[in-house]
Amino acid sequence: MTKTPAARRGRPRTFDRDAALRRAMNVFWQHGFDGASMTQLVDAMQINSPSIYAAFGSKEDLFREAVELYVASDGGSTMRALTNDGDVRDALRSMLAETILTFTRHDEPRGCLIVLGARHLGPVGDPVRAFLRDQRERIRILLAERLLKAKQKGELAPEADEKALATCVMTFLNGISIETVDGTSQPTLLAAAELFVDRLLPR
Amino acid sequence: MTKTPAARRGRPRTFDRDAALRRAMNVFWQHGFDGASMTQLVDAMQINSPSIYAAFGSKEDLFREAVELYVASDGGSTMRALTNDGDVRDALRSMLAETILTFTRHDEPRGCLIVLGARHLGPVGDPVRAFLRDQRERIRILLAERLLKAKQKGELAPEADEKALATCVMTFLNGISIETVDGTSQPTLLAAAELFVDRLLPR
DNA sequence: ACCTATATGTATCACCCGGCACATATTGGG
DNA sequence: CCCAATATGTGCCGGGTGATACATATAGGT
């Protein structure tokens, strides 16, 4: 069951699929799913639209792949910072710092593809909307688990409500996306994040 | 210079302009600026599109009026709660509570028209985008002023950094919009908000 | 009564959207 | 060499977008 090269027949593709996907990710990150037009994608990816459909399926499929790439690269640093086993405060601090750094690294795109990627959402059952909400839910669960573990290790007061704390941090996290889109400076946000953690989890 | 009724000539309009605007506000609140189509607006306002353009100018003008109405009604409760002169903690608590109540009052729309209304933004100089950011900036300024006043009254430690506190609260506030859109329950958010304020401003 | 001014409804504009049909080009397998 | 398979580029589809032209209806001013 190893992945054999499979001896592909037919004309080989003349563009770099990974590079094209990365360019698509940046377009989606900057404009959101609905805001990114096929014309913009065609321009950025430097492929004609039939090649996009042949290689990725549809605009929605392309978006899903772009989100996966985002989680595996830029966007994933938020969650990755959570998995370090040091003091919770350090973990949270580094998570927030990492998030802010990632979201303010370029002029555009800023903020979080996952948080902002489906705004002006379709119907309530919209698959893109549900998909992104699930992504966010994963982060919330990770967060709650991490806080529970900290409580069991005695890093938090035994009466601490890790569920409320998780929502609190989640909310702050979501708010950061809006802040960065608005252009709030990196130092300002870092100071606010430090303050937030210091107060929320007093030693 | 009083506002005379001005003896209008011509056929009088047969619909209630204020009621139509309110319906438009709800459409924008629910779908955002770009997400709200003229077809949806025509259906909700129960006017044909030429009447909309005659009465309001353009889709963008209509949106601006809708935001003004929003600030004067539903959305304004956030800012209004800030102006009470009691203890800061009470003020912040009531502001957050009021915000959450407003944003979760209906099944739809949820969240903040101002925070979410311009997602999948146009070019950087987009007037709609700038307009909404200015609205948010007004809230931030009000918040910083309120915190400074509290410090001067001795309600906060003299070394408190009201600018960082303001950003902190602003961020949390922005995050609430995303949370509510995601369907987080009202009690969960209220608990998180209470915790947030208790910790951020310890007595 | 007639003119002017405003409102309304129909029908439509030019444009852009996501997506695809089709012919052509380029590869490996036999 | 020819066939099957895949990739590419041109051109276009039906549908939805924001916005309007035009004819008609209804009011006040004189």
Side-chain angles (χ1 to χ4, degrees), chain A residues 147-160:
Chain A
L147 286 163
L148 177 60
K149 193 168 116 189
K151 191 163 93 170
Q152 291 166 342
K153 283 171 66 180
E155 290 177 349
L156 295 178
E159 70 273 11

PDB file of all heavy atoms in Angstrom, chain A residues 147-160:
ATOM      1  N   LEU A 147      -6.559  23.702  29.366  1.00  0.00           N
ATOM      2  CA  LEU A 147      -6.841  24.364  30.636  1.00  0.00           C
ATOM      3  C   LEU A 147      -7.190  23.344  31.713  1.00  0.00           C
ATOM      4  O   LEU A 147      -6.790  23.484  32.873  1.00  0.00           O
ATOM      5  CB  LEU A 147      -7.987  25.372  30.454  1.00  0.00           C
ATOM      6  CG  LEU A 147      -7.597  26.648  29.702  1.00  0.00           C
ATOM      7  CD1 LEU A 147      -8.824  27.382  29.200  1.00  0.00           C
ATOM      8  CD2 LEU A 147      -6.764  27.553  30.592  1.00  0.00           C
ATOM      9  N   LEU A 148      -7.929  22.317  31.334  1.00  0.00           N
ATOM     10  CA  LEU A 148      -8.271  21.265  32.290  1.00  0.00           C
ATOM     11  C   LEU A 148      -7.004  20.577  32.789  1.00  0.00           C
ATOM     12  O   LEU A 148      -6.832  20.338  33.987  1.00  0.00           O
ATOM     13  CB  LEU A 148      -9.207  20.242  31.617  1.00  0.00           C
ATOM     14  CG  LEU A 148      -9.599  19.044  32.486  1.00  0.00           C
ATOM     15  CD1 LEU A 148     -10.335  19.524  33.738  1.00  0.00           C
ATOM     16  CD2 LEU A 148     -10.481  18.074  31.705  1.00  0.00           C
ATOM     17  N   LYS A 149      -6.123  20.288  31.867  1.00  0.00           N
ATOM     18  CA  LYS A 149      -4.855  19.648  32.225  1.00  0.00           C
ATOM     19  C   LYS A 149      -4.077  20.529  33.210  1.00  0.00           C
ATOM     20  O   LYS A 149      -3.518  20.036  34.196  1.00  0.00           O
ATOM     21  CB  LYS A 149      -4.031  19.418  30.947  1.00  0.00           C
ATOM     22  CG  LYS A 149      -2.846  18.489  31.111  1.00  0.00           C
ATOM     23  CD  LYS A 149      -2.278  18.097  29.758  1.00  0.00           C
ATOM     24  CE  LYS A 149      -0.865  18.609  29.556  1.00  0.00           C
ATOM     25  NZ  LYS A 149      -0.379  18.425  28.172  1.00  0.00           N
ATOM     26  N   ALA A 150      -4.078  21.818  32.938  1.00  0.00           N
ATOM     27  CA  ALA A 150      -3.365  22.751  33.814  1.00  0.00           C
ATOM     28  C   ALA A 150      -3.975  22.746  35.207  1.00  0.00           C
ATOM     29  O   ALA A 150      -3.260  22.789  36.213  1.00  0.00           O
ATOM     30  CB  ALA A 150      -3.415  24.151  33.208  1.00  0.00           C
ATOM     31  N   LYS A 151      -5.287  22.687  35.275  1.00  0.00           N
ATOM     32  CA  LYS A 151      -5.950  22.667  36.573  1.00  0.00           C
ATOM     33  C   LYS A 151      -5.554  21.412  37.352  1.00  0.00           C
ATOM     34  O   LYS A 151      -5.241  21.458  38.536  1.00  0.00           O
ATOM     35  CB  LYS A 151      -7.468  22.730  36.377  1.00  0.00           C
ATOM     36  CG  LYS A 151      -8.228  22.975  37.671  1.00  0.00           C
ATOM     37  CD  LYS A 151      -9.645  23.440  37.416  1.00  0.00           C
ATOM     38  CE  LYS A 151     -10.583  22.239  37.387  1.00  0.00           C
ATOM     39  NZ  LYS A 151     -12.000  22.682  37.367  1.00  0.00           N
ATOM     40  N   GLN A 152      -5.533  20.278  36.637  1.00  0.00           N
ATOM     41  CA  GLN A 152      -5.183  19.019  37.284  1.00  0.00           C
ATOM     42  C   GLN A 152      -3.737  19.032  37.758  1.00  0.00           C
ATOM     43  O   GLN A 152      -3.393  18.390  38.751  1.00  0.00           O
ATOM     44  CB  GLN A 152      -5.414  17.853  36.316  1.00  0.00           C
ATOM     45  CG  GLN A 152      -6.892  17.606  36.033  1.00  0.00           C
ATOM     46  CD  GLN A 152      -7.123  16.697  34.839  1.00  0.00           C
ATOM     47  OE1 GLN A 152      -6.239  16.502  34.017  1.00  0.00           O
ATOM     48  NE2 GLN A 152      -8.338  16.162  34.730  1.00  0.00           N
ATOM     49  N   LYS A 153      -2.896  19.750  37.063  1.00  0.00           N
ATOM     50  CA  LYS A 153      -1.497  19.850  37.474  1.00  0.00           C
ATOM     51  C   LYS A 153      -1.298  20.877  38.586  1.00  0.00           C
ATOM     52  O   LYS A 153      -0.184  21.080  39.060  1.00  0.00           O
ATOM     53  CB  LYS A 153      -0.614  20.238  36.272  1.00  0.00           C
ATOM     54  CG  LYS A 153      -0.348  19.086  35.313  1.00  0.00           C
ATOM     55  CD  LYS A 153       0.331  19.568  34.049  1.00  0.00           C
ATOM     56  CE  LYS A 153       1.726  20.100  34.296  1.00  0.00           C
ATOM     57  NZ  LYS A 153       2.354  20.554  33.023  1.00  0.00           N
ATOM     58  N   GLY A 154      -2.366  21.572  38.967  1.00  0.00           N
ATOM     59  CA  GLY A 154      -2.276  22.543  40.035  1.00  0.00           C
ATOM     60  C   GLY A 154      -1.800  23.911  39.594  1.00  0.00           C
ATOM     61  O   GLY A 154      -1.521  24.777  40.410  1.00  0.00           O
ATOM     62  N   GLU A 155      -1.715  24.122  38.289  1.00  0.00           N
ATOM     63  CA  GLU A 155      -1.285  25.437  37.815  1.00  0.00           C
ATOM     64  C   GLU A 155      -2.407  26.458  37.926  1.00  0.00           C
ATOM     65  O   GLU A 155      -2.171  27.667  37.885  1.00  0.00           O
ATOM     66  CB  GLU A 155      -0.821  25.347  36.358  1.00  0.00           C
ATOM     67  CG  GLU A 155       0.486  24.582  36.186  1.00  0.00           C
ATOM     68  CD  GLU A 155       0.854  24.457  34.723  1.00  0.00           C
ATOM     69  OE1 GLU A 155       0.014  24.777  33.876  1.00  0.00           O
ATOM     70  OE2 GLU A 155       1.995  24.028  34.440  1.00  0.00           O
ATOM     71  N   LEU A 156      -3.629  25.955  38.011  1.00  0.00           N
ATOM     72  CA  LEU A 156      -4.769  26.852  38.167  1.00  0.00           C
ATOM     73  C   LEU A 156      -5.477  26.536  39.483  1.00  0.00           C
ATOM     74  O   LEU A 156      -5.396  25.418  39.987  1.00  0.00           O
ATOM     75  CB  LEU A 156      -5.760  26.666  37.007  1.00  0.00           C
ATOM     76  CG  LEU A 156      -5.270  27.056  35.620  1.00  0.00           C
ATOM     77  CD1 LEU A 156      -6.356  26.770  34.592  1.00  0.00           C
ATOM     78  CD2 LEU A 156      -4.869  28.518  35.593  1.00  0.00           C
ATOM     79  N   ALA A 157      -6.159  27.521  40.024  1.00  0.00           N
ATOM     80  CA  ALA A 157      -6.938  27.294  41.244  1.00  0.00           C
ATOM     81  C   ALA A 157      -7.951  26.181  40.978  1.00  0.00           C
ATOM     82  O   ALA A 157      -8.498  26.088  39.887  1.00  0.00           O
ATOM     83  CB  ALA A 157      -7.656  28.580  41.655  1.00  0.00           C
ATOM     84  N   PRO A 158      -8.170  25.326  41.983  1.00  0.00           N
ATOM     85  CA  PRO A 158      -9.068  24.177  41.768  1.00  0.00           C
ATOM     86  C   PRO A 158     -10.494  24.605  41.444  1.00  0.00           C
ATOM     87  O   PRO A 158     -11.242  23.831  40.826  1.00  0.00           O
ATOM     88  CB  PRO A 158      -8.992  23.423  43.102  1.00  0.00           C
ATOM     89  CG  PRO A 158      -8.347  24.325  44.076  1.00  0.00           C
ATOM     90  CD  PRO A 158      -7.549  25.324  43.317  1.00  0.00           C
ATOM     91  N   GLU A 159     -10.864  25.813  41.844  1.00  0.00           N
ATOM     92  CA  GLU A 159     -12.241  26.243  41.549  1.00  0.00           C
ATOM     93  C   GLU A 159     -12.345  26.933  40.188  1.00  0.00           C
ATOM     94  O   GLU A 159     -13.407  27.425  39.815  1.00  0.00           O
ATOM     95  CB  GLU A 159     -12.757  27.190  42.654  1.00  0.00           C
ATOM     96  CG  GLU A 159     -12.107  28.556  42.667  1.00  0.00           C
ATOM     97  CD  GLU A 159     -10.826  28.553  43.490  1.00  0.00           C
ATOM     98  OE1 GLU A 159     -10.336  27.448  43.865  1.00  0.00           O
ATOM     99  OE2 GLU A 159     -10.310  29.642  43.767  1.00  0.00           O
ATOM    100  N   ALA A 160     -11.240  26.984  39.441  1.00  0.00           N
ATOM    101  CA  ALA A 160     -11.264  27.652  38.132  1.00  0.00           C
ATOM    102  C   ALA A 160     -12.240  26.956  37.178  1.00  0.00           C
ATOM    103  O   ALA A 160     -12.327  25.730  37.148  1.00  0.00           O
ATOM    104  CB  ALA A 160      -9.857  27.650  37.529  1.00  0.00           C
TER     105      ALA A 160
END
